[in-house]
Amino acid sequence: MNSQYTFIENVDPARLKEFACSAPVKSHFLGSHAWGEVSKKRGWIPYYVGAEKDGKLAATALLLQKPLFLGFSYFYIPRGFIMDYSDRELLKFMTESVHKFCKKHHSIYFKIDPDIKLQTIDYEGNVIEGGENNYKLVDDLKAMGYRRKPLNYFFENEQPRFTFRIALDDTMDVIESRYSRTTKARIKQALSAGVEVEVGEAKDIDEFTRLMAMTEKRQDFYSHDKAFYSYFYDVFQKEGMVTLYLGKLNIPKLLSMREKELKTFEEEAQKLQDATSKKAIGRKKEVDKKIAALKKQIEGLADKPKKEIVVSTYLTVKYADKAWALYAANDMDYGKFYGNYAVYQRQIRDAKEEGLKIFDVFGTIGRPHSDSRLSGLYEFKKKWGGEYTEFIGEFDYIENRPMYFMYKKLIPMYHKMVNKKLRKQVQQYEP
């Protein structure tokens, strides 16, 4: 391959990060050295490669190798190459170089899912005419030999294909003006309840894991155990790439606040007891409603532990010019105090203060009005006013077609047949 570029099979971690921070448009934490190290815990083997021109890096990529049967493997390049995709010569060079590298490791195929917008869409998922699109890049990738996988609209593939991205170029007043009315109200409710947001440390992973377990049970999914989250935090913390946020609610303090409010409203209600004017009668009804709501809340808090409690946690990753709200967990026993809204606001404000350009909510669905249980996730993340973003999708570069067919078609069919047979066997013994 005659080219002005040179392929590097082992890019130094410091150099990898320096390049990502100098080319932030396509940078992504999933292409970082830290993510490669964390991926080892999930059975992947990381390689850090790149392309060099005149002694300077022009592209990098994290290659994650997954060993398979009979000595074969496949590679995943999370969020694709870190490079300028408009440089088609460089894209072709990286493709061919990675192809040769993967073949040396008995790869069946390698996969990319570039951090590149497919097209500009509105909140309903409709294409905005005259907006940005990258249809040409999709065609170019196909022409280079990539096979585009069917577009996913939920979380079927390695990474979500949709997200919301909040641009941080404007002032915080402008950014917060885009929050929905409900979001603004719930932030206010959280602050009025005394929710305080703190930055945690390694020891606080215990609380994070506790809330994650509650969230997983409630939403019927499983992600990782405490060992993984502890390792993730340690690796990313060493590289200055993670912040653990804790939303705390002080129950004794909240009870005291509510009891004082109740007393104030009861005194007002007493004064309005004999009210006769229409205005006073209307106010009396409002006060009575507030008294009823406060009594109910105080009664509900009476059985809660009389201490400060973590009610919302987020692990936020920061890399190059972006931040991602990666892992989140909430104690819904205290959901009515909206601690997660206070934490979310703090994350965005910190990202802005640190000079970052984008806050990414890290994934949502592409069918806003589906019956999926994830539609609530879409609604929550939309409320923060970010751009609804659709990525171009996943692409496989096939290196061994017979084995690829077997791995992608025959083996899933076999597993489906086996599972069906097992279900029938189980049903025979059901009462």
Side-chain angles (χ1 to χ4, degrees), residues 96-124:
E96 293 176 356
S97 299
V98 169
H99 165 57
K100 290 181 178 179
F101 180 90
C102 293
K103 283 207 75 172
K104 285 196 305 183
H105 292 80
H106 308 290
S107 174
I108 296 172
Y109 71 101
F110 72 82
K111 174 171 59 180
I112 62 172
D113 50 5
D115 179 20
I116 294 178
K117 184 193 300 183
L118 174 62
Q119 56 198 354
T120 305
I121 56 175
D122 62 20
Y123 279 166
E124 300 299 313

Side-chain angles (χ1 to χ4, degrees), residues 183-425:
T183 296
K184 293 174 184 175
R186 288 179 176 174
I187 291 172
K188 188 175 180 181
Q189 285 176 270
L191 298 179
S192 70
V195 174
E196 296 184 355
V197 183
E198 300 177 3
V199 173
E201 302 173 357
K203 63 181 177 63
D204 296 307
I205 290 294
D206 285 345
E207 279 298 286
F208 175 83
T209 305
R210 178 182 70 84
L211 264 63
M212 278 301 297
M214 294 176 65
T215 302
E216 290 170 358
K217 183 177 180 181
R218 183 177 70 250
Q219 297 185 357
D220 190 27
F221 77 97
Y222 174 78
S223 54
H224 307 290
D225 57 16
K226 179 187 172 183
F228 173 85
Y229 290 122
S230 294
Y231 184 72
F232 174 93
Y233 182 84
D234 288 344
V235 171
F236 274 74
Q237 181 62 23
K238 285 176 184 176
E239 298 201 22
M241 291 174 59
V242 69
T243 304
L244 172 59
Y245 290 96
L246 306 171
K248 297 184 175 182
L249 188 65
N250 189 308
I251 301 301
K253 184 178 178 180
L254 177 59
L255 266 171
S256 177
M257 288 169 53
R258 293 299 186 251
E259 286 168 350
K260 288 179 181 178
E261 290 176 36
L262 177 61
K263 184 178 179 181
T264 300
F265 282 118
E266 285 179 335
E267 290 174 352
E268 184 178 357
Q270 186 64 36
K271 293 177 182 178
L272 294 168
Q273 191 66 37
D274 300 320
T276 56
S277 71
K278 186 175 180 180
K279 184 177 179 180
I281 291 172
R283 176 58 183 168
K284 176 67 165 53
K285 289 181 180 179
E286 290 178 9
V287 170
D288 287 342
K289 286 182 180 179
K290 290 184 178 181
I291 289 173
L294 283 167
K295 285 183 175 179
K296 184 176 181 181
Q297 190 174 122
I298 290 169
E299 184 180 344
L301 289 169
D303 297 330
K304 303 297 182 186
K306 302 302 185 288
K307 62 179 182 179
E308 187 177 61
I309 297 174
V310 176
V311 297
S312 180
T313 62
Y314 278 80
L315 270 175
T316 303
V317 172
K318 299 167 184 178
Y319 188 61
D321 67 342
K322 302 180 185 70
W324 293 263
L326 186 56
Y327 297 119
N330 301 290
D331 188 338
M332 294 312 295
D333 286 346
Y334 302 90
K336 65 180 69 175
F337 300 107
Y338 301 111
N340 56 326
Y341 282 80
V343 178
Y344 223 86
Q345 181 193 45
R346 170 68 181 274
Q347 293 179 91
I348 296 170
R349 286 183 171 182
D350 282 1
K352 169 66 178 176
E353 189 174 324
E354 291 169 26
L356 303 182
K357 299 298 183 183
I358 297 289
F359 184 87
D360 191 319
V361 304
F362 200 70
T364 186
I365 61 175
R367 299 292 192 204
H369 303 297
S370 69
D371 294 331
S372 169
R373 60 183 177 83
L374 295 170
S375 59
L377 181 71
Y378 164 87
E379 290 297 333
F380 171 77
K381 294 183 174 183
K382 179 183 76 170
K383 292 174 182 176
W384 297 90
E387 179 188 3
Y388 194 26
T389 304
E390 177 183 12
F391 297 118
I392 64 174
E394 289 190 355
F395 297 79
D396 289 348
Y397 194 94
I398 303 170
E399 277 128 1
N400 186 323
R401 290 191 177 278
M403 293 303 298
Y404 180 86
F405 176 77
M406 182 180 292
Y407 181 70
K408 288 290 186 177
K409 301 292 184 182
L410 297 183
I411 290 180
M413 287 171 61
Y414 169 75
H415 285 310
K416 186 176 181 180
M417 289 171 59
V418 170
N419 291 335
K420 186 176 181 180
K421 184 177 180 180
L422 287 173
R423 282 197 299 271
K424 286 184 177 180
Q425 291 174 349

